[in-house]
Amino acid sequence: MENDQTKEYVLISVGKLEKLLRNNFLLSKCLLAFEYLCSHSDRPMFLRIKGVCEVLEITEEQLEACVLKQLIKPVVFQQQMMFSMYDVVFLSERLNRRKIQRSMSKMRKFGIKDSL
């Protein structure tokens, strides 16, 4: 039976691959540690808009766009929008994943046709 599928491959340097794997490993471990801390905390941790923007290195407009896209949900406390640190961490991971996907989509791809 002949398979006529083309697979795409991306060539990256060994150093770049090591950096991606190291960052992925560190982020996943940090996320697990933070999740543990949040689950054992007797006080919920929240940030104001300015704090979220500083942590994520985004503008208030970008944060507002994330709220509109329902990537993060604000909580109103004493007439101020606050964000759970837990949600901020997940938004950070999601934004980083998108950044990696965008940079990967810009890389040259090579097609190899399977003839098995």
Side-chain angles (χ1 to χ4, degrees), residues 1 4 8 11 34 41 45 58 63 100 107-108 110:
M1 183 173 194
D4 197 26
E8 287 188 353
L11 294 177
F34 189 76
S41 174
M45 296 180 252
I58 60 174
L63 179 59
I100 290 170
M107 291 181 179
R108 290 184 67 184
F110 300 91

Side-chain angles (χ1 to χ4, degrees), residues 11-12 25 29 33 38 47-48 60 90 97 109 115-116:
L11 294 177
I12 60 173
F25 179 77
K29 295 299 176 192
C38 284
L47 285 177
R48 293 187 178 110
E60 289 186 19
F90 278 105
R97 187 179 337 130
K109 294 177 177 62
S115 60
L116 297 174

Side-chain angles (χ1 to χ4, degrees), residues 6-109:
T6 301
K7 294 182 181 179
E8 287 188 353
Y9 296 90
V10 176
L11 294 177
I12 60 173
S13 69
V14 172
K16 197 168 225 176
L17 178 62
E18 286 176 358
K19 185 177 178 183
L20 283 171
L21 291 173
R22 191 178 311 112
N23 286 345
N24 185 13
F25 179 77
L26 289 174
L27 287 173
S28 64
K29 295 299 176 192
C30 290
L31 185 59
L32 286 173
F34 189 76
E35 188 174 350
Y36 175 80
L37 290 174
C38 284
S39 66
H40 286 79
S41 174
D42 60 341
R43 295 183 182 174
M45 296 180 252
F46 290 93
L47 285 177
R48 293 187 178 110
I49 293 172
K50 186 177 179 181
V52 173
C53 292
E54 283 181 28
V55 168
L56 298 179
E57 297 177 342
I58 60 174
T59 64
E60 289 186 19
E61 291 78 20
Q62 290 170 313
L63 179 59
E64 187 177 322
C66 290
V67 171
L68 292 174
K69 291 177 188 174
Q70 297 181 346
L71 299 176
I72 190 168
K73 184 179 177 183
V75 175
V76 178
F77 179 73
Q78 295 180 351
Q79 300 178 346
Q80 289 189 24
M81 281 181 37
M82 305 287 279
F83 296 89
S84 162
M85 275 300 295
Y86 194 73
D87 292 341
V88 172
V89 169
F90 278 105
L91 179 60
S92 172
E93 189 274 329
R94 199 170 195 174
L95 294 175
N96 282 329
R97 187 179 337 130
R98 286 184 177 176
K99 192 184 297 183
I100 290 170
Q101 287 171 341
R102 276 195 303 271
S103 63
M104 292 288 286
S105 69
K106 292 177 185 177
M107 291 181 179
R108 290 184 67 184
K109 294 177 177 62

